[in-house]
Amino acid sequence: GNPANDLVEIINQNRTAQKLERLNDNPGLGCMALQYVELCKGNCSGNSAVNCKPPTDDFTEVFAPNCGVELPTIGTITGHIVGCQSKYTEPSLAFANVLVKDKKSLSVLRNKSHSEVGVGLIGFHKGPFFWCVLFSNGGTNSSFVLEDRGEGIRQKKGCYSGSAFPCNAGHRSAMLFNYIITFSYLFISLLNQI
């Protein structure tokens, strides 16, 4: 599964429990959330806070083009929550312990002006794991629209919500490693029989 999608579901469960509207999971917004946290690597403090604030222009000049978001469809970001942890945490624990751990982030989560959400997450080699939630008040299917009939530009690292692509190449790398070991073993066995 995609933990970014799982986190969107947890966010929506929390909102509906408070009698607030469910948010539309927007893949363009999710991809931009992934871009946001990719920019923040190395800025994780001990209390799960991210000391990183990209310039507002980065949303239109860096994040959107990197994701393949059509520029005329970029809407207003109505809020964001960012957090980090030394290692990967299941979405429910990331929600409670990393992202929504104080009244300020809970207030952002429950803002009535939000209509869309996007989640991005990425782990860095020998480094922390970052989560980002971006909110928007855009209209469904008309804001943060990805190019190429919704496919945008395929990300090589990390996960983002609403994506039809696998989270990252981590599983494939592990499978490739297993194939190499298996073929090496078979090759050595074959050489021993000759």
Side-chain angles (χ1 to χ4, degrees):
N2 181 338
N5 287 338
D6 296 342
L7 189 57
V8 167
E9 188 53 37
I10 292 166
I11 288 167
N12 276 323
Q13 287 171 359
N14 185 280
R15 285 179 60 89
T16 56
Q18 299 298 313
K19 302 200 177 1
L20 295 167
E21 294 289 319
R22 284 180 66 85
L23 302 176
N24 177 47
D25 187 358
N26 184 308
L29 202 55
C31 182
M32 290 174 68
L34 176 58
Q35 294 289 312
Y36 188 112
V37 290
E38 274 196 277
L39 191 73
C40 292
K41 72 177 178 183
N43 291 297
C44 183
S45 70
N47 63 353
S48 300
V50 178
N51 303 318
C52 172
K53 231 180 176 161
T56 307
D57 290 348
D58 280 4
F59 284 95
T60 53
E61 295 176 11
V62 179
F63 303 160
N66 285 353
C67 288
V69 172
E70 296 176 3
L71 290 178
T73 69
I74 293 176
T76 303
I77 305 289
T78 53
H80 71 281
I81 304 171
V82 185
C84 59
Q85 185 106 352
S86 60
K87 59 186 183 343
Y88 176 75
T89 303
E90 291 298 320
S92 59
L93 294 174
F95 177 81
N97 300 334
V98 178
L99 294 168
V100 186
K101 58 185 191 283
D102 57 29
K103 289 182 180 177
K104 182 181 176 191
S105 53
L106 192 59
S107 170
V108 171
L109 174 75
R110 294 181 177 167
N111 186 321
K112 291 180 182 176
S113 69
H114 304 325
S115 59
E116 297 184 304
V117 64
V119 174
L121 63 115
I122 191 167
F124 295 98
H125 181 64
K126 294 185 180 179
F129 218 92
F130 288 84
W131 297 81
C132 178
V133 183
L134 292 180
F135 300 97
S136 170
N137 61 0
T140 305
N141 299 327
S142 64
S143 66
F144 301 97
V145 175
L146 293 172
E147 297 168 353
D148 299 327
R149 295 182 302 276
E151 295 200 1
I153 297 169
R154 189 166 182 170
Q155 294 293 301
K156 306 249 186 311
K157 297 185 281 186
C159 292
Y160 64 95
S161 62
S163 171
F165 298 121
C167 254
N168 59 32
H171 297 295
R172 277 178 292 176
S173 298
M175 283 180 32
L176 180 62
F177 180 72
N178 287 339
Y179 287 140
I180 290 170
I181 296 295
T182 303
F183 285 123
S184 299
Y185 177 77
L186 291 172
F187 183 72
I188 291 169
S189 297
L190 184 65
L191 284 176
N192 286 338
Q193 290 179 357
I194 295 180

